[in-house]
Amino acid sequence: MASAIASAEAFGASYDVAPMSEALELGEGLEGDPALAFRRTLGMFATGVTVLTTRVGEQVHGMTANAFMSVSLQPPLVLISIDRRAKMGALLHEGTRFGVSVLEAKQTGLSDRFAGRVADELPEATFEVIHETPLVEGALAHLVARVVRSYWGGDHSLFLGQVEFARYGDGRPLLFHGGRYERLIEDPRVFSQLPRELLEPILALGEERDYDDGEAVMRIGETGCDLMLVVEGSVHVERPGFSSTIGPGELIGEIEVLDPGGGRIADIHAVGPVRAIAVSREALLGALEADPRAAVALIEVLAARFRETT
Ligand code: FAD
């Protein structure tokens, strides 16, 4: 206990009691280096990726961090966790401001740059200064916070920041999971990517359905796996992070028809009277058997989608 407290005191953070270190028990099948197993366990928690920034005189310093969390709405507080060997930790103390730039899906190069990774042609960062704090341009969201407390966090230091500025834009976040970058796939279009001559024979097997204004066409979570083509009128599509009205010629239910156990992924309502063609999963599978070219084209669409995430 005494040595743990001594190291925390050496760090000089505001903390109450530093915990005693205890042996870490690993679950069955996790032999080997316990530190590595612990790290890999933590890596199962998917996060976004941020670049933390601060300014010392005219000098801007940035570092990549995924240990960022929201803490409180009132007052607005966030927390970051910084390795005690990192230069950033030495630059932050109570009263200093730091910026948080939440990276967008394509900004892996900037993440590598600010993590000190060496690679050919990493992009240059440009900064915008708000509240005297540099923020990475092109990021999905920005926050500026002032450090109000710092805490001992073992080999990391925790900085609690009161948020002074916040904004976000449109786009998809860069994700980090299992030690590698990932991206969200929000695009539910699969059949819409098929060439017309392969799609039309499938739609020809459908049956007509009519909906009145405001009537539910699909509800999130409910079972139902047919694919639908909107023929007349418009429907409003609402799913987490997405809201849009689509019209004639557009397909809905493209994922569910391939994954019947998963339930509907969107709430869809008719806007005015709607006429649609619904193709059941059975009819669809029959059409794919009858013309394997369509099945191959679908596999290619899905493979391209997989490539986008790696
Ligand atoms: P340095 O290592 O000196 O700088 C980091 C890099 O940023 C260097 O390459 C430097 O050249 C570049 N850089 C700095 N300022 C500028 C500038 N103004 N313009 C251009 N380039 C600049 N570590 C943690 O402590 N906590 C975390 O939560 C965390 N999460 C991570 C998440 C991911 C996805 C990754 C890849 C790494 C993470 N790291 C984390 C590791 C951390 O990013 C690195 O250890 C980083 O090198 C620490 O930075 P530093 O402050 O020591 O500064």
Side-chain angles (χ1 to χ4, degrees):
M1 182 87 170
S3 68
I5 289 180
S7 65
E9 276 170 351
F11 166 58
S14 50
Y15 64 92
D16 296 323
V17 180
M20 241 191 321
S21 93
E22 285 178 21
L24 169 69
E25 184 190 341
L26 296 179
E28 228 173 282
L30 292 184
E31 284 85 27
D33 179 1
L36 186 63
F38 179 49
R39 205 185 166 119
R40 287 193 173 147
T41 306
L42 297 178
M44 290 300 107
F45 183 58
T47 65
V49 180
T50 74
V51 172
L52 304 175
T53 39
T54 196
R55 196 160 81 157
V56 183
E58 286 313 299
Q59 197 82 21
V60 171
H61 181 70
M63 76 162 254
T64 301
N66 64 340
F68 162 78
M69 67 181 276
S70 57
V71 174
S72 160
L73 291 176
Q74 200 49 256
L77 296 172
V78 294
L79 187 81
I80 54 174
S81 173
I82 298 195
D83 191 315
R84 285 169 59 183
R85 293 164 302 179
K87 186 174 165 194
M88 178 62 88
L91 301 177
L92 295 182
H93 48 83
E94 288 178 20
T96 51
R97 290 193 179 108
F98 63 91
V100 181
S101 300
V102 177
L103 295 187
E104 196 267 336
K106 294 199 180 78
Q107 293 179 310
T108 50
L110 284 180
S111 172
D112 285 345
R113 164 170 291 283
F114 287 103
R117 290 180 172 173
V118 181
D120 293 339
E121 295 181 26
L122 286 181
E124 289 299 329
T126 49
F127 301 99
E128 175 186 3
V129 176
I130 292 186
H131 283 231
E132 297 163 26
T133 309
L135 295 165
V136 176
E137 279 184 338
L140 186 57
H142 288 126
L143 299 136
V144 174
R146 188 185 284 276
V147 178
V148 288
R149 292 276 193 287
S150 59
Y151 303 92
W152 179 81
D155 56 18
H156 279 56
S157 311
L158 309 179
F159 295 93
L160 184 69
Q162 170 132 11
V163 179
E164 298 180 345
F165 173 83
R167 73 156 172 232
Y168 68 94
D170 283 336
R172 295 179 192 184
L174 177 61
L175 303 180
F176 196 65
H177 175 245
R180 51 181 249 174
Y181 298 121
E182 304 266 7
R183 282 184 221 159
L184 278 182
I185 298 199
E186 287 179 356
D187 185 355
R189 290 172 308 149
V190 179
F191 288 87
S192 320
Q193 313 280 342
L194 292 188
R196 213 70 219 167
E197 75 270 14
L198 296 179
L199 183 60
E200 268 161 15
I202 296 175
L203 297 174
L205 300 171
E207 61 180 43
E208 205 172 298
R209 289 198 194 150
D210 294 304
Y211 296 90
D212 293 328
D213 182 30
E215 195 179 343
V217 180
M218 296 176 187
R219 285 186 211 277
I220 283 188
E222 78 180 6
T223 51
C225 56
D226 33 19
L227 173 73
M228 283 195 204
L229 170 75
V230 179
V231 180
E232 275 176 31
S234 315
V235 294
H236 186 73
V237 181
E238 193 90 43
R239 57 189 159 79
F242 178 88
S243 169
S244 180
T245 300
I246 61 172
E250 305 267 11
L251 293 175
I252 50 181
E254 297 191 53
I255 299 290
E256 300 93 311
V257 76
L258 291 172
D259 178 24
R264 292 291 187 195
I265 61 168
D267 279 324
I268 302 184
H269 288 89
V271 181
V274 168
R275 194 161 64 85
I277 301 285
V279 184
S280 69
R281 182 175 156 82
E282 291 68 37
L284 175 91
L285 294 180
L288 295 180
E289 261 177 37
D291 186 353
R293 287 179 311 152
V296 171
L298 278 177
I299 292 168
E300 285 169 358
V301 170
L302 295 170
R305 198 58 64 72
F306 179 74
R307 206 177 305 121
E308 280 172 20
T309 66
T310 53

